[in-house]
Amino acid sequence: MCAAAAQVNGEKVLRFEYDSSEHSETVYDAADNELLQLHYDAAGRLTRVSPRTHLDALNVTYDHQGRWTDWSRGDLTVRRVFDDPSGRLVERRLGSRTGYLYVYKNTSKASSCPVLPFFTSVVYRARV
């Protein structure tokens, strides 16, 4: 287990402990109260944030290319859909009722994240 502390003006404000066998990190306040746990996959990507309060945990999922595709926290969800041949973001869904479709002018230019000038249009879609 590894540990480190964050200090402000020489005073410890946070302490971090990393457990390499569990791929997790625990964050403590200055009084050594546990605040949250961070969980990582074998590639070192954040997969879960678990607060030690009444708040819901945040879960993150990645695709085979390492891009985050889903995250959820309680009733809140976001899903991103990529076009595999080009690697571009083609849809983003917020919960079950709202989504955005991305259409690109230049279909040959690969981009993992769309940039506004490349859009032909952004379509807002509300599901009822």
Side-chain angles (χ1 to χ4, degrees):
M1 190 167 301
C2 301
Q7 296 183 354
V8 174
N9 296 328
E11 189 174 325
K12 181 178 84 169
V13 292
L14 294 174
R15 182 170 59 91
F16 304 88
E17 285 186 357
Y18 180 72
D19 184 343
S20 59
S21 65
E22 295 292 323
H23 300 289
S24 67
E25 185 173 16
T26 306
V27 181
Y28 299 89
D29 66 12
D32 278 340
N33 298 311
E34 186 175 323
L35 298 175
L36 56 93
Q37 280 195 329
L38 306 168
H39 303 270
Y40 302 91
D41 63 14
R45 297 176 298 221
L46 183 67
T47 58
R48 184 174 175 86
V49 177
S50 303
R52 290 296 174 219
T53 62
H54 64 280
L55 298 174
D56 293 319
L58 170 70
N59 296 290
V60 184
T61 307
Y62 301 87
D63 67 8
H64 63 281
Q65 293 185 354
R67 300 172 294 206
W68 74 265
T69 54
D70 297 276
W71 72 254
S72 63
R73 182 173 168 250
D75 293 337
L76 301 172
T77 61
V78 174
R79 168 166 274 185
R80 299 190 318 169
V81 178
F82 294 91
D83 176 20
D84 276 331
S86 68
R88 293 181 178 180
L89 179 66
V90 294
E91 185 175 0
R92 184 170 50 134
R93 294 183 212 137
L94 308 171
S96 62
R97 296 181 175 255
T98 306
Y100 299 90
L101 295 177
Y102 299 94
V103 181
Y104 298 86
K105 287 182 182 178
N106 181 354
T107 58
S108 64
K109 183 172 175 133
S111 172
S112 61
C113 187
V115 180
L116 286 175
F118 294 116
F119 288 131
T120 299
S121 62
V122 176
V123 179
Y124 174 75
R125 185 174 58 191
R127 297 181 190 146
V128 283

